[in-house]
Amino acid sequence: MTGPRTYRDKRPIPKGSPASVYPTQLAKARQRIDVLRWHHVELSRRFLGASDGDLYEIDLVLAGVMVRSYGLVDGFIDAFDTWNPIVAAPLLRMQLDTLVRLSFMVRAPNASAVAQHILLGGEFRKLKDGDGKFLADVRLLEHAKPFHSWVEPVYKATSGWVHFSPSHVHAALRLERDKDGQA
């Protein structure tokens, strides 16, 4: 495809992508991620149209969540297709960051107050939960775990890619040589 793409364009698997090199193992999952990318748009239409034109604080925060999530998924596809785990893994970690915050907000006793706090420039870590504990990442993970049992180990694994860590050293040591013996 030439020229800029739109959000509706399917992202075909390019030649050289891990999904084209290992089609049996990766192609369906890569295509599913692309479907999820486009689904952001339809889901946004549904929740924004649900209130007959009235917008609430939560709707505005959700719109921000959807724009961020769409961009992260789109960027993940680019990083995946170019064999770039150093970029792909932190994008996944950022997606989890959004998930744990959204998971808390939608279950909060006063979700509108949480949304208003965010819209006014506040941060989750400055909010307290019902037990009076600040909503740092560790606390948000505790709140999300009952609903997303997998989130904590994935969060911890991907956090190693956000700050320079042994993950980066290990990735550098996995350089493969091409057919001419060059790294």
Side-chain angles (χ1 to χ4, degrees):
M1 175 202 272
T2 59
R5 61 181 189 258
T6 70
Y7 69 88
R8 291 180 186 219
D9 293 335
K10 286 185 179 180
R11 303 279 309 269
I13 297 172
K15 184 177 184 198
S17 165
S20 70
V21 174
Y22 302 102
T24 306
Q25 300 91 339
L26 299 174
K28 281 187 179 180
R30 162 52 176 78
Q31 289 168 335
R32 179 69 181 133
I33 291 170
D34 191 39
V35 168
L36 291 172
R37 176 190 60 87
W38 190 86
H39 187 65
H40 282 73
V41 177
E42 184 56 35
L43 185 59
S44 295
R45 282 188 186 133
R46 286 177 36 204
F47 81 76
L48 288 172
S51 59
D52 295 327
D54 293 333
L55 288 178
Y56 300 93
E57 290 93 353
I58 292 173
D59 296 325
L60 298 174
V61 172
L62 287 174
V65 164
M66 295 306 281
V67 168
R68 182 181 197 212
S69 181
Y70 178 94
L72 292 172
V73 172
D74 197 45
F76 179 88
I77 293 170
D78 285 338
F80 175 84
D81 283 344
T82 58
W83 297 75
N84 194 344
I86 292 172
V87 171
L91 293 176
L92 178 56
R93 166 55 176 75
M94 292 170 68
Q95 191 74 304
L96 293 175
D97 176 81
T98 304
L99 171 74
V100 298
R101 282 158 175 74
L102 181 62
S103 182
F104 177 83
M105 185 184 79
V106 300
R107 292 178 179 85
N110 192 347
S112 291
V114 174
Q116 188 173 41
H117 173 79
I118 300 305
L119 289 172
L120 293 173
E123 300 173 7
F124 272 88
R125 65 188 172 137
K126 299 205 175 165
L127 287 173
K128 291 183 180 180
D129 64 13
D131 296 331
K133 295 182 180 181
F134 284 103
L135 294 174
D137 285 1
V138 171
R139 188 65 178 161
L140 288 164
L141 282 169
E142 289 174 14
H143 282 285
K145 246 182 356 185
F147 305 97
H148 311 284
S149 60
W150 52 267
V151 75
E152 189 172 32
V154 175
Y155 189 93
K156 285 180 181 179
T158 56
S159 290
W161 289 92
V162 173
H163 306 288
F164 184 75
S165 71
S167 300
H168 296 95
V169 176
H170 295 148
L173 297 176
R174 290 188 187 144
L175 289 176
E176 293 185 22
R177 301 205 177 273
D178 63 19
K179 63 182 175 183
D180 297 325
Q182 299 294 313

